[in-house]
Amino acid sequence: MNKKRIGLALCGSYCTYEKLFGVLGTLCERYDIVPIMSETAASTDSRFGTAASFKKRLFDLTGRAPVCTIADAEPLGPSTPMDALVIAPCTGNTMAKLAHGVTDTAVTMAAKAHLRNGKPLVIAFSTNDGLTGSAPNIAALFNRKNVYLVPYKQDDFTKKPYSLASDFTLLPDAIEAALEGRQLQPIILQNKC
C-alpha cells in the first residue's frame, strides 16, 4: 500500500518540539514523511536541545535528512509534490510571512511551492502574540483556500495571556480532515480552569 507523502516543516518554536516528536511516530506509521526545517531551526541550539540533535531525530524517525534550504525546498511543489504539507510548529514570524507572501526560508518556499499544486497546507502554530500581533495573520491564513489550522487554545493564560498554541495531539486528525478537504472542529479549544 502506498502511503500519502506528507511534508513536515519545523520552525523555531523549540519549546514545542517535544510535543511534535510525541506524535511524529504515529505520523510516520501513516504517511511517508518529508522533513523540512527553517534555516533558523536547522542551525540554532537552544535550551531545548541542539539543532544537530533535532535533525538526527528527524532522520531517525523519517529515514530522510531534513530539507533545510530554499533551493532544496523549491522542487517540493512542481517536481516532487506532496499530498499535504504540515508546518508544525509554525511561529508567528512564519505565519506573517505566509499571510503576506514572503518567501525567504526553506519553510515558506516549501509552502509556496506546495500551495501552487492546490493541496492542503496544515498549520500547527505556537506564538506568544496570538491574541495581539499575530491575530490578523491567523485570520488571513484561515481564510485562504487549502489552508487548515490545527485546533488551538491559550497555552498558559495565567503567565502568557496573549499566547496561543495548537494542540499537537490533534495533528493526525487535522491532517486526515485536511486531506478530505475539511477543517477539523472545533478550531478554538476550551482551556480548563
Side-chain angles (χ1 to χ4, degrees):
M1 180 172 124
N2 287 341
K3 293 180 177 180
K4 290 194 182 287
R5 191 165 184 261
I6 306 292
L8 177 65
L10 286 72
C11 297
S13 180
Y14 312 106
C15 61
T16 60
Y17 281 16
E18 280 308 313
K19 294 174 185 176
L20 174 64
F21 284 119
V23 297
L24 187 52
T26 299
L27 296 179
C28 289
E29 289 172 10
R30 292 185 189 180
Y31 309 111
D32 178 19
I33 301 291
V34 177
I36 304 158
M37 295 179 84
S38 70
E39 289 80 346
T40 300
S43 64
T44 303
D45 297 338
S46 74
R47 65 186 168 114
F48 299 101
T50 65
S53 70
F54 293 131
K55 287 191 270 190
K56 182 180 181 326
R57 219 162 152 190
L58 283 170
F59 179 82
D60 290 346
L61 286 164
T62 67
R64 288 190 170 104
V67 171
C68 299
T69 68
I70 291 172
D72 290 339
E74 194 276 333
L76 295 174
S79 302
T80 54
M82 300 170 289
D83 294 291
L85 174 63
V86 177
I87 304 177
C90 185
T91 60
N93 185 44
T94 297
M95 281 191 296
K97 291 176 181 188
L98 292 170
H100 297 283
V102 176
T103 307
D104 65 352
T105 69
V107 172
T108 56
M109 175 54 81
K112 176 184 176 181
H114 176 75
L115 283 171
R116 81 175 89 164
N117 294 330
K119 302 284 185 168
L121 173 63
V122 178
I123 297 176
F125 62 80
S126 178
T127 179
N128 286 328
D129 69 345
L131 292 174
T132 55
S134 287
N137 299 321
I138 294 169
L141 290 171
F142 179 69
N143 286 317
R144 285 186 65 183
K145 184 177 182 182
N146 298 322
V147 176
Y148 303 89
L149 301 179
V150 176
Y152 60 91
K153 63 183 175 183
Q154 288 179 277
D155 62 344
D156 186 345
F157 57 88
T158 305
K159 294 179 185 169
K160 303 186 296 181
Y162 305 111
S163 184
L164 295 175
S166 292
D167 183 339
F168 283 69
T169 65
L170 297 175
L171 197 50
D173 293 337
I175 294 168
E176 281 300 308
L179 287 167
E180 295 170 4
R182 62 184 176 83
Q183 171 64 54
L184 186 64
Q185 297 287 343
I187 300 169
I188 302 172
L189 304 170
Q190 220 174 5
N191 282 309
K192 294 181 174 115
C193 296

